[in-house]
Amino acid sequence: MTDRRDLIVGNWKMNATHLDAIQMIQKLHYRLELDDYDRVDVVVAPPFTALRSAQTVIEADRMLIQLGAQNAHWEENGAFTGEVSAPMLERLAVSYVILGHSERRQYFGETDELVNKRTRAVLGAGMTPIVCVGETLSQREDGEAQSVVGSQLRGAFARLGPDLVGACSIAYEPVWAIGTGRTASPEDAGDMAAFIRETLIEIANSDTAEQVRVLYGGSVNAGNVKDLMAKRHVDGALVGGASLDPDKFAAIVRYRL
Ligand code: 13P
């Protein structure tokens, strides 16, 4: 065991209006006990349009649920129609920003270089980037999983000093496990999390590598979370589908080893 605190994040993706979000957050709040938050940082990442309502309900009821966003532009402001900047998110009490999700890489042309720029901007605004990495099925079958993840990490953290790398979290999400019901085995997840930590030693140093939280994502549910979290290098979960149901997400947060 290490002293890294668990981090469990619900990535709502493009789901939930601001009204849905208020209800979902209230339900989640009622299903969690105060001591759950002693063990785990509990984060929900709704779409941008729900962040203001989410912030309002969280602050009004003094909830301990924290807020995440699903992306951020690298500039603070300017002529970038349709984009949202890191300082805008920070002003909405957002603490975490998911970056480089495989869906963004696949559908929106996200590159390691852009992830690097976004990571700098999110850090600059005082929030925690959750940098997503992960291989496709064919890359895994070709034995390239580690080299793909290694190069995504080197790209995302290029020219960042150890202090900045240490202020990030990482989510290992094998693309073939996302939304498929096909979870990586705890061994595969644990092995890749260990590889990620070794890579962080090379990119930064061993203190930084020990400090960074490495999450697993891909079909996490209340039934498999415990075995995944039992792995020494897995410090949390990035949950998609199951995070949309407050009962299911609360059960994931409340897992016990
Ligand atoms: P699922 O939990 O729906 O597989 O999604 C995982 C994910 O992409 C979280 O970011």
Side-chain angles (χ1 to χ4, degrees), residues 9-13 98 101-103 132 171 173-175 177-182 216-221 237-244 252:
V9 182
N11 175 9
W12 292 4
K13 308 190 179 182
I98 298 166
H101 192 281
S102 65
E103 287 151 14
C132 300
E173 297 205 309
V175 176
I178 294 177
T180 59
R182 185 175 164 197
Y216 167 79
S219 299
V220 173
N221 58 43
L238 183 54
V239 185
S243 73
L244 296 173
I252 292 171

Side-chain angles (χ1 to χ4, degrees), residues 48-67:
F48 291 133
T49 47
L51 286 172
R52 174 63 178 153
S53 302
Q55 176 200 17
T56 305
V57 69
I58 286 171
E59 288 182 357
D61 288 352
R62 295 195 171 81
M63 296 178 186
L64 297 174
I65 297 168
Q66 300 178 73
L67 265 186

Side-chain angles (χ1 to χ4, degrees), residues 155-211:
F157 295 129
R159 300 174 302 282
L160 287 186
D163 287 357
L164 292 179
V165 175
C168 296
S169 294
I170 294 169
Y172 168 56
E173 297 205 309
V175 176
W176 46 271
I178 294 177
T180 59
R182 185 175 164 197
T183 319
S185 69
E187 289 66 37
D188 285 345
D191 288 351
M192 188 60 90
F195 170 77
I196 289 171
R197 218 171 290 288
E198 281 165 29
T199 306
L200 289 173
I201 297 177
E202 290 166 21
I203 291 175
N205 57 45
S206 53
D207 285 350
T208 300
E210 273 304 305
Q211 170 185 341

Side-chain angles (χ1 to χ4, degrees), residues 110-124:
E110 190 73 54
T111 61
D112 292 330
E113 194 187 342
L114 293 183
V115 176
N116 178 258
K117 290 168 80 166
R118 297 185 202 278
T119 300
R120 290 166 189 277
V122 167
L123 289 166

